[in-house]
């Protein structure tokens, strides 16, 4: 019997590669063949980051496509990155599909594409593949996209996404109320990126109302309970890796596993974990203030200082800081975050509230100290602090800095709040229930697998 063969295409950013690779691992477990598309740059980074790990890369077939980046392009420029990919991808995908058709038993049967890469859907459709969109964010941001026409009609924003009426608004009663300044596209300071991101949100919103199947990394009851979702949206999350299986994780930086050994030596519920994902950057002043706040808090901590986290890195400052906090604080370049958050010594998660980090924290029952930076992170903060009530906001002072005193204050408040921990554990129980046998996400994933299987026969 022919096996389904999925061609999987993520946006080449860390927070997109990780969940799509996890989805791929699960499809392999269910008998699928998977070909995973990396850009050349990412593939080189992933293989290099994994060179010392015991993960088994062989169950998934990795292929590469050009990055579409031209000399002089700023690698952190999201718009250029997407435009470059849009230019090179159609031909590369056509070629990949053509080649796979020529090898017996290797024909692709479905195309699972990151919503940010959905412009390539036509290539796959033309080749007769079943197409599926993967949405790596939360349902809340998806619903914001589909509510844009209403926001325009209500006079909250104009046709370009610019704010017309400043203030708070609420899309539906199950969503946190939010500031117009926190709409996902509003945080981009340059107008070109802002309009690009607005158009993108609008397009995503439109997709909800088509027949296109959308897999969303969330679970029933987390962001919606009462509102009925369109039938083409399948919530299948949280997509977290089973740490016992040595499956590829797709890290762009080499994970430092010695922090797990360090955590093993700490008391239960005693360590603050601080990580801001793969993209967030701090200026020097905020970076130092954060370090000094951790020092002032007098608590144990594990801090991910990713290369590039601080724009103008002061190596001397970090070295002096490290020696002052030796024994009670550990600093790593990249942590095996899901494993860290599952560790019993972790008391709270100081996070930028990227969607993956949000899911990973909540699925492990960890309360949050929210420090959002851009895009959908303010919406996640709203859910955490106002709807689930499993975290606190870190507030800026008059100089637009989260001060060391604020850090100490919020760490103490959160770590002393038993009710918060109880709610976090209740949320974890709901996440577990959803992915366990008989749960919503479990059944939705089954339903997806059988749809893809049926399409082969
Ligand atoms: N991550 C990790 N180790 C780190 C920091 C982050 O494994 O030291 C992972 C984290 O578990 C998450 C992803 O990187 O899966 C970051 O995605 P998220 O959506 O939270 O943030 P983004 O990087 O997209 O801003």
């Amino acid at each position: 019997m022919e096996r389904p063969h999925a061609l999987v295409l993520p946006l080449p950013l860390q927070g997109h590669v990780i969940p799509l690779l996890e989805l791929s691992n699960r499809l392999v477990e269910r008998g699928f063949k998977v070909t995973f598309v990396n850009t050349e740059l990412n593939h080189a980074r992933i293989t290099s980051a994994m060179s010392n790990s015991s993960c088994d890369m062989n169950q998934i077939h990795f292929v590469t496509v050009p990055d579409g980046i031209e000399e002089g392009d700023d690698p952190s420029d999201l718009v250029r990155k997407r435009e470059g990919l849009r230019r090179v991808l159609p031909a590369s995908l056509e070629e990949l599909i053509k080649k796979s058709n020529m090898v017996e038993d290797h024909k692709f049967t479905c195309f699972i594409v990151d919503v940010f890469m959905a412009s390539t859907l036509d290539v796959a459709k033309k080749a007769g593949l079943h197409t599926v969109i993967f949405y790596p964010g939360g349902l809340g941001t998806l619903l914001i996209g589909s509510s844009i026409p209403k926001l325009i009609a209500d006079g909250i924003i104009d046709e370009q996404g610019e704010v017309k009426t400043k203030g708070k608004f609420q899309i539906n009663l199950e969503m946190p109320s939010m500031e117009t300044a926190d709409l996902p596209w509003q945080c981009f300071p340059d107008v070109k990126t802002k309009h690009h991101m607005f158009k993108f949100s609008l397009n995503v919103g439109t997709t909800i109302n088509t027949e296109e199947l959308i897999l969303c990394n969330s679970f029933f009851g987390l962001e919606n309970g009462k509102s009925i979702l369109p039938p083409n949206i399948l919530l299948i999350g949280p997509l977290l890796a089973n740490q016992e299986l040595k499956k590829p994780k797709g890290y762009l930086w080499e994970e430092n596993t010695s922090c797990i050994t360090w955590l093993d030596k700490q008391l239960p519920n005693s360590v603050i974990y601080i990580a801001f994902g793969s993209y967030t950057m701090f200026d020097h002043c905020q970076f130092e203030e954060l370090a000094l706040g951790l020092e002032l808090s007098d608590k144990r901590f594990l801090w991910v200082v990713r290369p590039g986290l601080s724009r103008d890195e002061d190596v001397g400052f970090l070295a002096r800081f490290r020696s002052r906090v030796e024994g009670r604080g550990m600093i790593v370049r990249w942590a095996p975050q899901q494993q860290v958050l599952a560790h019993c010594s972790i008391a709270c998660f100081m996070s930028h509230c990227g969607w993956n980090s949000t899911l990973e924290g909540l699925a492990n029952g960890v309360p949050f100290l929210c420090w959002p930076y851009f895009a959908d992170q303010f919406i996640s903060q709203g859910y955490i602090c106002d709807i689930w009530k499993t975290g606190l906001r870190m507030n800026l002072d008059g100089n637009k800095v989260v001060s060391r005193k604020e850090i100490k204050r919020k760490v103490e408040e959160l770590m002393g709040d038993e009710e918060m921990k109880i709610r976090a554990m209740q949320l974890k129980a709901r996440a577990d229930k959803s992915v366990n046998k008989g749960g919503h996400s479990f059944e939705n994933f089954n339903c997806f697998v059988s749809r893809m299987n049926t399409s082969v026969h």
Side-chain angles (χ1 to χ4, degrees):
M1 198 197 292
E2 204 186 332
R3 286 161 69 195
H5 185 176
L7 178 65
V8 180
L9 176 68
L11 178 73
L13 291 181
Q14 185 69 96
H16 296 243
V17 171
I18 291 176
L20 262 168
L21 197 48
E22 179 50 28
L23 175 66
S24 303
N25 287 329
R26 288 176 192 215
L27 290 174
V28 169
E29 279 167 25
R30 299 297 294 267
F32 280 58
K33 282 198 275 186
V34 174
T35 295
F36 194 89
V37 185
N38 275 327
T39 58
E40 283 159 4
L41 274 174
N42 266 11
H43 194 65
R45 287 183 63 184
I46 291 170
T47 15
S48 149
M50 284 191 43
S51 56
N52 294 320
S53 97
S54 54
C55 285
D56 177 12
M57 290 277 272
N58 294 326
Q59 294 189 359
I60 289 178
H61 177 56
F62 289 91
V63 291
T64 59
V65 291
D67 289 80
I69 293 175
E70 282 168 7
E71 230 181 279
D73 278 355
D74 171 4
S76 66
D77 184 337
L78 274 181
V79 178
R80 289 290 292 173
K81 216 170 185 158
R82 273 192 73 214
E83 279 170 355
L85 278 168
R86 280 166 82 127
R87 206 176 47 247
V88 296
L89 269 179
S92 302
L93 286 178
E94 262 173 36
E95 186 62 27
L96 266 176
I97 295 171
K98 204 162 97 195
K99 270 195 194 153
S100 91
N101 284 343
M102 285 174 353
V103 182
E104 203 178 331
D105 284 343
H106 199 68
K107 226 171 140 175
F108 299 125
T109 55
C110 61
F111 180 53
I112 305 177
V113 64
D114 190 315
V115 69
F116 281 82
M117 300 274 91
S119 59
T120 56
L121 277 169
D122 284 347
V123 176
K125 281 187 199 293
K126 226 167 65 194
L129 306 188
H130 286 268
T131 52
V132 182
I133 292 179
F134 178 75
Y135 190 74
L139 191 58
T141 37
L142 200 53
L143 295 180
I144 286 182
S146 66
S147 305
I148 287 177
K150 181 161 181 342
L151 294 177
I152 296 174
D154 291 349
I156 294 173
I157 54 171
D158 69 15
E159 306 274 337
Q160 303 297 317
E162 295 293 351
V163 174
K164 275 173 80 182
T165 316
K166 275 192 189 164
K168 280 197 181 257
F169 70 96
Q170 195 170 20
I171 301 244
N172 67 45
L173 291 177
E174 292 188 287
M175 282 184 73
S177 71
M178 56 190 284
E179 291 287 340
T180 41
D182 295 341
L183 280 162
W185 54 89
Q186 279 301 323
C187 55
F188 296 97
D190 76 292
V191 176
K192 190 176 158 215
T193 313
K194 195 197 276 188
H195 287 173
H196 180 92
M197 294 312 282
F198 171 68
K199 237 175 100 191
F200 171 73
S201 291
L202 187 62
N203 286 344
V204 172
T206 318
T207 319
I208 295 189
N209 301 321
T210 64
E211 304 260 287
E212 208 69 66
L213 186 60
I214 304 177
L215 301 179
C216 183
N217 194 9
S218 185
F219 59 94
F220 179 78
L222 180 66
E223 298 151 281
N224 75 312
K226 298 179 198 94
S227 40
I228 310 230
L229 289 181
N232 57 326
I233 300 182
L234 287 185
L235 305 179
I236 57 160
L239 282 169
L240 303 192
N242 178 340
Q243 300 300 329
E244 269 139 48
L245 307 173
K246 296 284 172 208
K247 302 280 169 82
K249 300 173 182 165
Y251 288 165
L252 297 174
W253 292 269
E254 186 176 359
E255 63 184 329
N256 180 335
T257 48
S258 68
C259 61
I260 301 294
T261 321
W262 183 80
L263 288 175
D264 287 342
K265 295 186 193 129
Q266 311 306 320
L267 292 173
N269 255 320
S270 66
V271 178
I272 315 167
Y273 174 58
I274 307 107
F276 298 96
S278 59
Y279 222 75
T280 313
M281 280 183 276
F282 286 140
D283 64 23
H284 186 56
C285 164
Q286 183 63 86
F287 182 76
E288 280 201 11
E289 202 61 22
L290 167 55
L292 297 173
L294 293 175
E295 194 173 357
L296 192 67
S297 78
D298 219 18
K299 296 275 189 288
R300 304 211 151 229
F301 65 86
L302 170 62
W303 182 16
V304 177
V305 179
R306 194 197 71 234
L309 176 68
S310 169
R311 241 181 276 264
D312 26 21
E313 232 162 275
D314 180 345
V315 184
F317 170 80
L318 201 58
R320 286 190 297 279
F321 173 73
R322 227 185 253 269
S323 73
R324 287 201 305 274
V325 296
E326 209 188 331
R328 97 175 158 84
M330 184 172 193
I331 299 172
V332 295
R333 285 159 55 95
W334 192 254
Q337 180 163 301
Q338 294 188 20
Q339 219 179 329
V340 166
L341 287 166
H343 200 285
C344 64
S345 68
I346 297 297
C348 64
F349 183 11
M350 192 182 289
S351 168
H352 70 314
C353 306
W355 186 247
N356 293 293
S357 295
T358 302
L359 279 181
E360 292 162 7
L362 76 84
N364 284 296
V366 181
F368 286 85
L369 289 166
C370 301
W371 193 327
Y373 174 72
F374 82 150
D376 59 346
Q377 297 157 12
F378 292 91
I379 305 167
S380 309
Q381 170 179 255
Y383 277 107
I384 293 170
C385 299
D386 305 335
I387 306 280
W388 310 325
K389 299 190 176 13
T390 55
L392 298 174
R393 287 183 168 81
M394 308 286 280
N395 294 322
L396 299 172
D397 66 11
N399 297 320
K400 297 220 174 300
V401 168
V402 176
S403 71
R404 67 193 82 170
K405 282 191 184 151
E406 168 74 355
I407 292 169
K408 178 177 157 61
R409 198 168 33 236
K410 290 291 163 68
V411 163
E412 281 170 2
E413 191 182 335
L414 189 79
M415 285 176 74
D417 189 336
E418 280 175 27
E419 293 295 314
M420 191 81 84
K421 180 67 187 173
I422 292 173
R423 284 192 294 273
M425 291 306 287
Q426 286 166 343
L427 200 52
K428 169 186 165 37
R430 281 162 57 194
D432 287 346
K433 191 170 168 211
S434 198
V435 288
N436 288 339
K437 202 165 175 218
H440 267 100
S441 290
F442 179 90
E443 293 304 339
N444 281 344
F445 186 65
N446 272 349
C447 161
F448 166 65
V449 166
S450 46
R451 267 167 90 163
M452 292 303 111
N453 269 320
T454 324
S455 65
V456 178
H457 308 298

